[in-house]
Amino acid sequence: MSTADDKNRAVAAAILPLVGGARNIESVAHCMTRLRLGLRDRSLVQDGALRALPAVLGVVEDDTYQIVLGPGTVARVSPEFEALVAEGRGHSAEDLAAAGARIRESRKAANATPLKQLLRRIANIFVPLIPALIGCGIIAGLNGLLINLHWLPSVTPALAAIASGFMALIAVFVGFNTAKEFGGTPILGGAVAAIIVFPGVAKIDAFGQSLSPGQGGVLGALGAAVLAVYVEKWCRRWVPESLDVLVTPTLTVLISGLVTVFGLMYVAGEVSEAIGEAATWLLGHAGAFAGFVLGGLFLPLVMLGLHQALIPIHTTLIEQQGYTVLLPILAMAGAGQVGAAAAVYVRLSRNGSIRRTVRSALPAGLLGVGEPLIYGVSLPLGRPFVTACVGGAFGGGFVGLFNMLGVQVGSTAIGPSGWALFPLLQGNRGLAETIAVYAGGLLVGYATGFAATYFFGFGRALLTEWNVGPVTPSDARRSRPRSDEDDSHVPTPA
C-alpha cells in the first residue's frame, strides 16, 4: 500500500469512531467536497472531536451528516471509509436472519403453484385436528402403559373410550374442515362424511362387497366433502332463492351421499389399504434405505412445500394401524439440524452474535421446532443445511433399519417431533424398546449432523467470512503494516 493510500485510510479510520462506528452507518456517499453519511443514531457523533481532525474542514447537517474534506481528498477517503465500515460490521446473526427471511420469501413465491396451493389447502384441513390427535394420542399411550403394568383396571376402559372417540369420528371433522376450506357449508361437508362412519353402511353392498363402517377413512371423507361443495355451489346457481333453503341442502347431501356410498367409500378404501400395505412393505424390505432417503430429503420437501402431501398419509396410517411409522423417521431431519447447529456453534467460535442465536434456538430444535435453526442458521450459510440433511438421512436410516429387523417405531399423532414425540411413541414391541430405537435415531442424527458439518460444512472462504467478530477501526489500523515515516501522516483527534 502506498503512502498516499495509507494516509487516506488513516483519515477514514480516524473519522469512523467519531461518527458512532461501523454499526451506526446506514449509507455512505460523497459529492465534490463532502463525505455524506446516513446515520442510525445522530447522538453517537462526537462533533467537537470530529471538527478538530486536521483533515476535516467542517461539518454540515442536512438529510445526511456531511463531513467536508475538500475536492480530491473526499474521492480518495470515501472508498477507504466504506471498506472500514464493511470490515467493522462483520457478519452477525442479524445478517443470517435477513438472509433466511429472503430465502423464506423466495420459497413462498416459488411455492405459489396450483399443485402446492392445493397441498396447502389439504394441510389447512388436517392441521386444526392436530391438537386433538396429540391429546388423544398421549392418553392412548398412557392407557397402554397402565394396561401393561396391570394398574387401575377399572379406569383403563374409560381412558380407551376417551382416546378412541375422536379417531372413531375423525372422518366427520375432516369433512367439516374440507367444506369450510373449499368454500362450502361446513356442516353439510360433515354430514356427508358422517355416512362413512355410520354403522348402518354394513348392510350396503357396493362392487359386490359389503361395506364396513369407516371404510375409506379420511380420504373418503375428503373426497365426499369436496363433492358436496361442488354440488352445493351448483345448486346455489340454479335453484330459485325461494326454494334454496330446502332444496340445496337436500340435494347436496343426497347426491354426494349416494356417490360416497356406491363409489367413494370403496375406492378410498382400496387407496387407504394400499397406502398401509406400501408403508409396511417399504420399511419391512428396504427400511434402512427408505429411512435414509426420507430422513435426508424431508427438509428439502419442506422447503418446496411438498411435505403437506404426507399429512393425509400419516392420518390414514394412524386410522389403520393406530400409529404412523413414517413420522419418527421424518423427525430425524430435525435431529440433523440440531447436530449441524452445534457444529456451527463450535466452528464459528469468534462470532458471538451467531453463537447467541444458536444457543437461543437449540432448545426449540431439540423439541422439534426447527424453523429458527433452519432460517436463522443453517440455510443462509448454505453448506451446513446440506450437512444437516446428511445427519437426518443417517438418523432415518437407523430407525428404518430396525423396521427391517421387525421393530416398528410409530407415533400416535402428527405434529410433534424431536423430544416432544416421546410421549406419543408406539410400536409393535414394548414401549422401552420403541423408545430406545427412537432415542438411538436421534443420537445418530445429532452425531452425524455435527460431524458432517464440522468437517465438511465450512470451506476456507466461508470460515474466513463468518468466523470473525466486529472489527473496530483501531483493529484495522493495527492489523495493517505501516512504516515509521507513514505515522507522520496520521491525523489524531485533538
Side-chain angles (χ1 to χ4, degrees):
M1 181 179 292
S2 68
T3 301
D5 290 337
D6 198 41
K7 176 182 177 181
N8 294 325
R9 188 174 179 88
V11 171
I15 291 174
L16 184 58
L18 301 181
V19 293
R23 294 281 178 181
N24 196 39
I25 306 299
E26 287 189 330
S27 63
V28 180
H30 71 87
C31 60
M32 292 293 293
T33 60
R34 302 175 185 179
L35 180 65
R36 298 171 179 263
L37 307 178
L39 303 175
R40 287 189 172 88
D41 187 351
R42 170 65 180 83
S43 65
L44 297 179
V45 177
Q46 303 175 42
D47 293 287
L50 191 61
R51 293 175 188 271
L53 290 178
V56 174
L57 305 179
V59 296
V60 177
E61 288 198 62
D62 197 357
D63 55 336
T64 58
Y65 191 82
Q66 302 172 16
I67 303 172
V68 182
L69 297 175
T73 302
V74 69
R76 293 170 173 80
V77 171
S78 181
E80 299 290 346
F81 187 86
E82 289 179 339
L84 283 178
V85 168
E87 291 176 10
R89 283 175 179 164
H91 286 289
S92 66
E94 289 77 13
D95 300 323
L96 273 185
R102 289 193 296 271
I103 294 172
R104 190 197 301 259
E105 289 303 315
S106 66
R107 289 260 47 92
K108 186 182 295 184
N111 288 341
T113 63
L115 172 61
K116 293 172 184 176
Q117 287 176 341
L118 174 62
L119 293 177
R120 192 173 296 113
R121 298 185 82 170
I122 292 175
N124 291 341
I125 294 167
F126 288 92
V127 167
L129 307 179
I130 289 177
L133 285 169
I134 293 173
C136 294
I138 291 177
I139 294 171
L142 174 62
N143 189 54
L145 180 63
L146 292 176
I147 291 174
N148 291 335
L149 295 174
H150 303 290
W151 289 357
L152 303 176
S154 60
V155 176
T156 51
L159 292 179
I162 294 171
S164 304
F166 173 73
M167 288 304 303
L169 297 174
I170 189 173
V172 179
F173 296 101
V174 169
F176 185 94
N177 287 349
T178 300
K180 180 179 180 181
E181 179 65 26
F182 282 86
T185 302
I187 197 64
L188 292 180
V192 174
I195 298 169
I196 293 174
V197 296
F198 177 59
V201 297
K203 301 176 181 179
I204 302 172
D205 290 336
F207 297 96
Q209 299 180 8
S210 296
L211 297 177
S212 58
Q215 185 173 338
V218 295
L219 297 183
L222 181 65
V226 170
L227 176 61
V229 169
Y230 281 100
V231 173
E232 180 187 0
K233 289 182 177 180
W234 182 88
C235 290
R236 300 290 184 198
R237 284 199 306 269
W238 295 102
V239 174
E241 289 187 12
S242 58
L243 300 176
D244 181 72
V245 69
L246 296 175
V247 174
T248 297
T250 302
L251 289 179
T252 299
V253 174
L254 178 62
I255 295 173
S256 304
L258 289 173
V259 174
T260 298
V261 169
F262 292 106
L264 282 177
M265 285 186 67
Y266 175 81
V267 173
E270 293 297 308
V271 173
S272 298
E273 187 175 342
I275 289 174
E277 291 176 353
T280 301
W281 183 91
L282 182 65
L283 294 179
H285 291 78
F289 176 76
F292 188 89
V293 173
L294 290 173
L297 292 182
F298 184 63
L299 287 180
L301 286 178
V302 172
M303 299 298 302
L304 294 173
L306 298 177
H307 67 294
Q308 294 164 339
L310 297 172
I311 297 177
I313 297 175
H314 287 311
T315 310
T316 298
L317 292 174
I318 292 172
E319 267 192 317
Q320 290 182 342
Q321 304 173 2
Y323 52 83
T324 168
V325 292
L326 297 180
L327 187 60
I329 291 175
L330 299 177
M332 296 302 116
Q337 279 291 329
V338 169
V344 169
Y345 183 88
V346 173
R347 291 289 268 165
L348 301 185
S349 58
R350 297 179 58 192
N351 196 318
S353 180
I354 293 177
R355 285 163 65 91
R356 284 192 298 272
T357 297
V358 172
R359 284 198 303 268
S360 63
L362 264 181
L366 291 170
L367 293 174
V369 182
E371 283 81 359
L373 290 177
I374 294 173
Y375 289 103
V377 180
S378 66
L379 188 57
L381 288 173
R383 199 185 294 181
F385 179 78
V386 177
T387 53
C389 293
V390 172
F394 276 89
F398 180 89
V399 177
L401 175 62
F402 276 87
N403 271 275
M404 286 182 64
L405 299 176
V407 183
Q408 290 187 353
V409 178
S411 169
T412 57
I414 58 177
S417 185
W419 293 3
L421 199 62
F422 277 110
L424 297 169
L425 291 177
Q426 188 174 322
N428 61 345
R429 298 293 182 88
L431 183 61
E433 194 170 353
T434 301
I435 291 177
V437 172
Y438 180 72
L442 289 178
L443 292 176
V444 170
Y446 296 153
T448 309
F450 180 91
T453 305
Y454 187 90
F455 292 108
F456 306 108
F458 292 90
R460 182 176 300 176
L462 193 63
L463 271 179
T464 302
E465 182 180 2
W466 287 96
N467 194 26
V468 292
V471 181
T472 65
S474 58
D475 291 334
R477 290 199 303 271
R478 283 197 296 268
S479 65
R480 193 177 70 260
R482 290 195 311 234
S483 62
D484 292 339
E485 60 192 16
D486 292 334
D487 293 338
S488 60
H489 297 284
V490 179
T492 55

